[in-house]
Amino acid sequence: MASCATLWFNNTMWNEYFIPATLDETLHLLAEKREKARLVAGATDLMLELERGVRKGIETIIDVTRLPDLDRIRQDENGILHLGPLVTHNDVAASRLLHEYAFPLVSASWQVGAPQIRNRATVAGNLVTASPANDTITPLMALGAWVLLASMKGTRRVSLEEFFTGVRKTVIEPDEMLVDIAFPALKNDQRGTFLKLGLRRVQAISLVNTAIILDLTPDGVRSAVITLGAVAPTILHAREAEVYLAGKEMTDENIARAAELASAASRPIDDIRGSAAYRMAMVNVLVKRGLLSLRAGQEKAQVPETPVLLSSDVKAQIPRALPFDQSIHTTINGKDYTFTSGQEKSLLRLLREEAGLTGTKEGCAEGECGACTVFLDDKAVMACLVPAPRAHGAEIVTVEGLGSLLPLGEGPEPRALHPVQRTFIDDGAVQCGYCTPGFIMSAAKLLEERPQPGRDEIMQAITGNLCRCTGYYKIVQAIEDASKL
Ligand SMILES: Cc1cc2nc3c(=O)[nH]c(=O)nc-3n(C[C@H](O)[C@H](O)[C@H](O)COP(=O)(O)OP(=O)(O)OC[C@H]3O[C@@H](n4cnc5c(N)ncnc54)[C@H](O)[C@@H]3O)c2cc1C
Ligand code: FES
Ligand code: FES
């Protein structure tokens, strides 16, 4: 395992961290470490689980983000769509192929978290975490998906129906890695959608969600699939509603009856986010809304065809694994750094405590506020949810390096303020300033991605950033003004 070295840390999150360069190395490691090891992809679930002590007894982290060719979305010669385990929610949201042939999944991925979360979080991680509120499980179940699990013993194919065994429980063995997610592309007569209700419009876990796929005839419905999330320990099919709709016309009465039957199929619990009765009522509302939008041919209206990603190039190649020994070698704001300590921290803490770059702020340390936004290999990410060793061999830009992104001579002086920094000052888009570096990073990445954004695109770009004092009006205005400079 030449490119895969180990460190022992005296800390709470992990004791050793591997960055394998091949799938074979990864499977060897899993076979050797078993229950004591955990794979990490986007780390948006795992970092929090480790910090909160949800996953006990984990000593070893195996970072699979440098494995080659696992970030692909493709269609095979039989029309089956395949997602590699490193495909992120933003990859899905930006995929023309999936927009055309798997729209319910696109809608679900688009509604996960915020752009900085979607740039790192993978669909595979969403499946393996196995919360019944996780958004991509519902559409993948409706699409009839299966996964391929690999270990040193070989591979096995498991349907999603069999994969989940309870709340946060799956059949995956400690020595197995999920290496493929597959499902048939929707056919010409099939149309589908995914709807979600959370306590707010973004950065919200589903209170309930539903995916609906209809096989349509000129007169009505040939067959229907309706799956429901967050209303039982695992994702449910609303079987009676599916049977009821088959062979029926899409009249108001039939739609209302199917929604009632779907609601009756749900078995939600009361919890802090909503009562069981409210959830059942909302299943009725969402299923009715979904069916009405499909009848009107409007199901794609709520999801942008070219979503804001906060990524310069969504297909930017992740640098391949460098041999990882005792040190993290990385580039921050164009300067080379070597860290011999801090490997057990988050990237946010590495930047602040080891590199002394305190412009990046910690607001929540759980991916909610965006104050820690930095660019990691050209994508905006929440640094509090990135393990520090992921910086090894990577390029990072923090707010301290933003002005230097301008080519020399293009600003009034070589290290001129970025236009967004300038307009935040001019427009008074700052009060206490704690959130400001995060907003500026998101806005700067937006303007790199699309120099003349519309108001709606600006709003999309800052959905992951919270400000508790300025209010958003001046922030949006400052971004608009920067786009004119
Ligand atoms: C602020 C915030 C907002 C969020 N919003 C949403 C939301 O709206 N909807 C939603 O559904 N989720 C949401 N999430 C949860 C999370 O982002 C998703 O579940 C995400 O898809 C997890 O992917 P990941 O790559 O980050 O997983 P990781 O954290 O890297 O891994 C998650 C689990 O999967 C395992 N794993 C990862 N890859 C593999 C593999 N290939 N084989 C075997 N095991 C593997 C890991 O060991 C770990 O146990 C949110 C999280 C945060 C922090
Ligand atoms: S999102 Fe990272 S500190 Fe709040
Ligand atoms: S300016 Fe104070 S939190 Fe935004």
Side-chain angles (χ1 to χ4, degrees):
M1 287 190 217
S3 63
C4 178
T6 172
L7 295 172
W8 281 91
F9 304 120
N10 188 17
N11 78 99
T12 50
M13 288 220 283
W14 54 77
N15 294 331
E16 52 179 354
Y17 197 101
F18 289 86
I19 310 177
T22 66
L23 182 59
D24 198 44
E25 283 179 26
T26 310
L27 299 182
H28 266 103
L29 278 168
L30 280 175
E32 184 192 329
K33 310 281 180 184
R34 294 189 61 86
E35 287 82 356
K36 291 185 177 154
R38 213 64 209 178
L39 298 180
V40 71
T44 60
D45 276 327
L46 193 67
M47 285 286 276
L48 293 179
E49 289 180 352
L50 292 175
E51 286 221 8
R52 291 171 184 167
V54 176
R55 299 253 174 223
K56 301 251 184 263
I58 303 299
E59 294 178 351
T60 303
I61 298 297
I62 306 169
D63 183 333
V64 293
T65 55
R66 306 308 181 86
L67 297 184
D69 303 328
L70 297 185
D71 56 353
R72 299 212 180 137
I73 298 170
R74 66 182 176 89
Q75 186 168 24
D76 70 21
E77 58 284 4
N78 300 315
I80 304 297
L81 293 164
H82 295 267
L83 273 58
L86 297 180
V87 168
T88 65
H89 295 296
N90 259 354
D91 292 335
V92 171
S95 164
R96 298 301 316 144
L97 185 67
L98 296 181
H99 219 270
E100 186 73 21
Y101 296 113
F103 178 74
L105 178 63
V106 172
S107 175
S109 280
W110 168 243
Q111 294 183 63
V112 168
Q116 299 97 313
I117 297 288
R118 295 195 289 273
N119 271 335
R120 295 259 308 150
T122 60
V123 178
N126 203 235
L127 296 184
V128 177
T129 295
S131 158
N134 276 3
D135 289 321
T136 62
I137 306 175
T138 320
L140 283 170
M141 194 89 101
L143 286 159
W146 62 90
V147 293
L148 210 57
L149 304 177
S151 71
M152 291 305 293
K153 297 185 284 252
T155 54
R156 61 179 175 133
R157 173 179 154 158
V158 182
S159 73
L160 280 202
E161 311 274 351
E162 298 161 328
F163 186 69
F164 299 101
T165 54
V167 176
R168 295 180 180 269
K169 289 193 188 130
T170 72
V171 298
I172 197 162
E173 294 289 336
D175 63 343
E176 284 180 316
M177 173 171 170
L178 189 160
V179 291
D180 188 39
I181 301 164
F183 51 88
L186 290 180
K187 299 194 176 61
N188 285 345
D189 290 345
Q190 290 181 308
R191 296 221 319 274
T193 191
F194 167 88
L195 289 95
K196 158 179 178 174
L197 177 73
L199 292 182
R200 51 186 172 146
R201 281 176 57 198
V202 294
Q203 290 279 57
I205 296 171
S206 279
L207 206 56
V208 295
N209 66 45
T210 183
I212 306 172
I213 295 176
L214 300 179
D215 200 344
L216 294 163
T217 64
D219 305 323
V221 180
R222 188 177 295 119
S223 63
V225 179
I226 301 177
T227 50
L228 306 174
V231 293
T234 55
I235 306 309
L236 288 180
H237 272 270
R239 298 279 183 208
E240 286 192 27
E242 291 174 349
V243 170
Y244 176 80
L245 273 177
K248 298 264 186 342
E249 284 180 42
M250 293 276 277
T251 61
D252 285 351
E253 295 71 31
N254 288 339
I255 286 174
R257 181 66 188 140
E260 274 170 24
L261 289 170
S263 171
S266 55
R267 293 184 269 113
I269 53 165
D270 295 313
D271 71 12
I272 191 165
R273 286 178 293 123
S275 66
Y278 179 64
R279 283 192 162 93
M280 285 184 79
M282 289 306 106
V283 169
N284 187 321
V285 170
L286 284 197
V287 171
K288 193 184 291 173
R289 239 178 238 173
L291 289 170
L292 287 171
S293 73
L294 286 164
R295 184 177 71 179
Q298 289 296 314
E299 70 277 10
K300 294 189 178 175
Q302 298 307 314
V303 179
E305 279 194 31
T306 51
V308 168
L309 304 171
L310 295 192
S311 167
S312 308
D313 173 12
V314 75
K315 284 289 158 220
Q317 282 297 309
I318 296 172
R320 298 279 74 97
L322 290 178
F324 180 48
D325 50 28
Q326 297 292 319
S327 317
I328 296 173
H329 301 285
T330 188
T331 308
I332 307 174
N333 302 329
K335 190 174 151 198
D336 290 339
Y337 284 78
T338 296
F339 298 104
T340 52
S341 59
Q343 294 91 335
E344 76 288 6
K345 298 181 176 180
S346 66
L347 174 61
L348 172 62
R349 290 187 54 209
L350 186 85
L351 292 169
R352 290 179 58 85
E353 295 165 11
E354 306 293 326
L357 294 167
T358 53
T360 308
K361 303 295 183 222
E362 177 175 305
C364 63
E366 48 187 44
E368 294 281 350
C369 75
C372 64
T373 303
V374 299
F375 305 158
L376 174 69
D377 293 332
D378 266 343
K379 294 172 197 281
V381 303
M382 308 291 198
C384 65
L385 294 183
V386 179
R390 175 61 185 79
H392 185 63
E395 289 203 17
I396 294 157
V397 177
T398 69
V399 72
E400 289 90 346
L402 207 53
S404 62
L405 289 181
L406 288 176
L408 283 183
E410 281 206 4
E413 66 238 16
R415 288 181 68 91
L417 289 179
H418 190 280
V420 179
Q421 291 172 309
R422 168 60 51 211
T423 54
F424 264 61
I425 298 168
D426 293 346
D427 290 345
V430 179
Q431 262 188 65
C432 78
Y434 202 80
C435 68
T436 309
F439 271 101
I440 284 178
M441 294 304 283
S442 297
K445 186 51 79 180
L446 170 70
L447 297 187
E448 212 179 293
E449 189 182 328
R450 40 193 90 180
Q452 305 292 323
R455 175 67 66 110
D456 188 48
E457 291 168 320
I458 294 175
M459 308 287 252
Q460 286 176 36
I462 59 172
T463 48
N465 295 85
L466 295 179
C467 174
R468 61 173 190 154
C469 47
T470 301
Y472 298 90
Y473 179 78
K474 288 189 172 180
I475 291 173
V476 171
Q477 187 188 333
I479 300 170
E480 268 174 353
D481 288 346
S483 73
K484 295 176 196 147
L485 289 184

